[in-house]
Amino acid sequence: KRVLRLSNLDKPFWPDEGITKGDLLAYYRDVARVAVPHVKDRPFTLKRYPNGWQGDFFFQKDAPAGMPDWMPTVEIEVSTREKPRRRRKIKAPLVNDELGLLWVVNMGCIDLNTWYSRVDKLDRPDFVLFDLDPSPDVGFPETVQVALLVKEALDALGLQSFCKTSGADGIHVLVPIERRHTYDDTRQFAEIVAGALASTHRGLVTTEWSKSKRKGVLIDANQNGEGKTIASVYSVRPKAGAPVSTPLRWDEVNESLDPGAFTMDVVRRRVDERGDLFEGVLKVRQSLGAALRSIR
């Protein structure tokens, strides 16, 4: 009873690489079984690139006109961009199955941007995010070093963590948690860990948000906030070569790691061979209480 009509399948989305919109849709259909569980029941922000990754893009948080009636939505409050800021209610789309996934991609969404929490507990995130973003004076090898330092700190606190390439220049480290902690809890936890690493590894780790003053790899704790979105695992990123935000085993996080090597074809093969390496983010539940008490 649900019909999805795909359009402009031959449209070049990465002209230099010969990758079309149809190729992008085919990739997402192939990985839907592992991608959908990570975006299901989370408010979804459409970041639309109607003319491919190098073209203009725009955001839509509210369900766009003409969205199929079989696409579920959730009513949420969001802050407006204009000043003074105000709150308004919107109906955010939910991408809960393969057909919904293909609909948002057909609308020009290259990557999948969702909240950290789900509709039944919107104020309770599922994970803490350590977003590692290298400054211009360092590169990806330093980002790998910092990811391993973050893991070491989390291991010392008895917390299991999972790593993925951001699909751009950075690395995302996620700590799955019980859904009883607030966004303030997760931001504070990330801030304390990031601050400790920045003070003990000066020049390599920084918490300086201003790019002009920043040196080293930024651990951006501020990404832990209600309404913030993350490019979900298995997202193709709007970058040259169409790299994918790819889950990794920790033993793969080393000096030979190349984020650009994770193309759509490579990720397809990895999923076929290894399944979902990020499954633990959905299944592991850990308390932040003891860890927060020990580091405050």
Side-chain angles (χ1 to χ4, degrees):
K1 295 180 180 179
R2 298 185 301 163
V3 176
L4 172 63
R5 301 189 189 281
L6 304 177
S7 58
N8 301 316
L9 299 186
D10 295 329
K11 192 170 194 175
F13 262 39
W14 282 266
D16 293 344
E17 294 85 349
I19 297 172
T20 65
K21 181 182 175 184
D23 296 327
L24 183 67
L25 281 157
Y27 161 78
Y28 276 117
R29 185 171 191 177
D30 289 343
V31 301
R33 68 186 184 278
V34 291
V36 168
H38 292 280
V39 299
K40 186 176 182 180
D41 289 330
R42 302 181 191 276
F44 189 97
T45 296
L46 281 79
K47 185 180 181 184
R48 295 174 61 182
Y49 291 80
N51 295 306
W53 81 274
Q54 291 172 302
D56 292 337
F57 65 88
F58 59 97
F59 291 94
Q60 283 185 298
K61 294 183 178 181
D62 209 347
M67 192 177 80
D69 58 10
W70 46 258
M71 280 282 291
T73 61
V74 59
E75 187 172 90
I76 58 175
E77 275 197 358
V78 296
S79 295
T80 59
R81 289 181 177 270
E82 68 267 13
K83 294 183 179 180
R85 287 183 177 272
R86 59 185 180 83
R87 305 281 286 178
R88 71 181 183 98
K89 288 186 177 180
I90 66 166
K91 287 188 174 181
L94 300 176
V95 177
N96 284 357
D97 57 23
E98 178 188 312
L99 209 60
L101 174 62
L102 296 180
W103 181 81
V104 296
V105 177
N106 192 58
M107 293 293 285
C109 292
I110 290 175
D111 45 14
L112 314 176
N113 294 280
T114 63
W115 280 36
Y116 303 9
S117 50
R118 286 174 278 160
V119 292
D120 56 337
K121 289 186 179 180
L122 280 174
D123 59 344
R124 296 291 187 266
D126 286 350
F127 52 82
V128 185
L129 172 65
F130 289 86
D131 183 7
L132 312 186
D133 183 18
S135 305
D137 63 315
V138 295
F140 196 74
E142 288 83 1
T143 310
V144 166
Q145 291 179 48
V146 175
L148 294 173
L149 289 172
V150 170
K151 181 184 187 299
E152 185 179 327
L154 295 170
D155 286 348
L157 293 167
L159 293 170
Q160 188 176 359
S161 57
F162 297 83
C163 182
K164 71 181 180 75
T165 63
S166 70
D169 302 320
I171 287 177
H172 291 157
V173 179
L174 276 67
V175 183
I177 56 173
E178 294 174 349
R179 300 171 66 205
R180 58 186 178 84
H181 302 288
T182 66
Y183 278 101
D184 285 342
D185 292 334
T186 58
R187 183 169 55 246
Q188 183 183 39
F189 178 74
E191 282 175 348
I192 295 172
V193 173
L197 291 175
S199 65
T200 54
H201 297 84
R202 295 186 184 278
L204 176 61
V205 183
T206 182
T207 57
E208 175 57 61
W209 199 79
S210 170
K211 284 193 174 183
S212 61
K213 301 177 183 176
R214 188 193 308 168
K215 290 187 181 299
V217 178
L218 171 67
I219 303 179
D220 190 356
N222 287 327
Q223 290 303 315
N224 294 280
E226 186 169 353
K228 297 280 189 181
T229 60
I230 183 174
S232 185
V233 68
Y234 302 109
S235 286
V236 183
R237 301 309 306 276
K239 302 285 181 182
V244 176
S245 180
T246 305
L248 305 167
R249 297 191 315 261
W250 273 111
D251 61 10
E252 296 179 290
V253 183
N254 55 47
E255 64 279 356
S256 65
L257 184 63
D258 175 10
F262 296 105
T263 63
M264 289 187 276
D265 285 341
V266 167
V267 172
R268 277 190 184 97
R269 288 196 298 271
R270 285 173 64 90
V271 169
D272 288 342
E273 294 168 4
R274 309 180 188 188
D276 181 13
L277 292 179
F278 238 45
E279 187 178 26
V281 175
L282 299 174
K283 294 190 173 180
V284 173
R285 288 292 167 255
Q286 304 171 105
S287 173
L288 275 186
L292 269 171
R293 287 190 295 273
S294 69
I295 61 178
R296 272 176 176 149

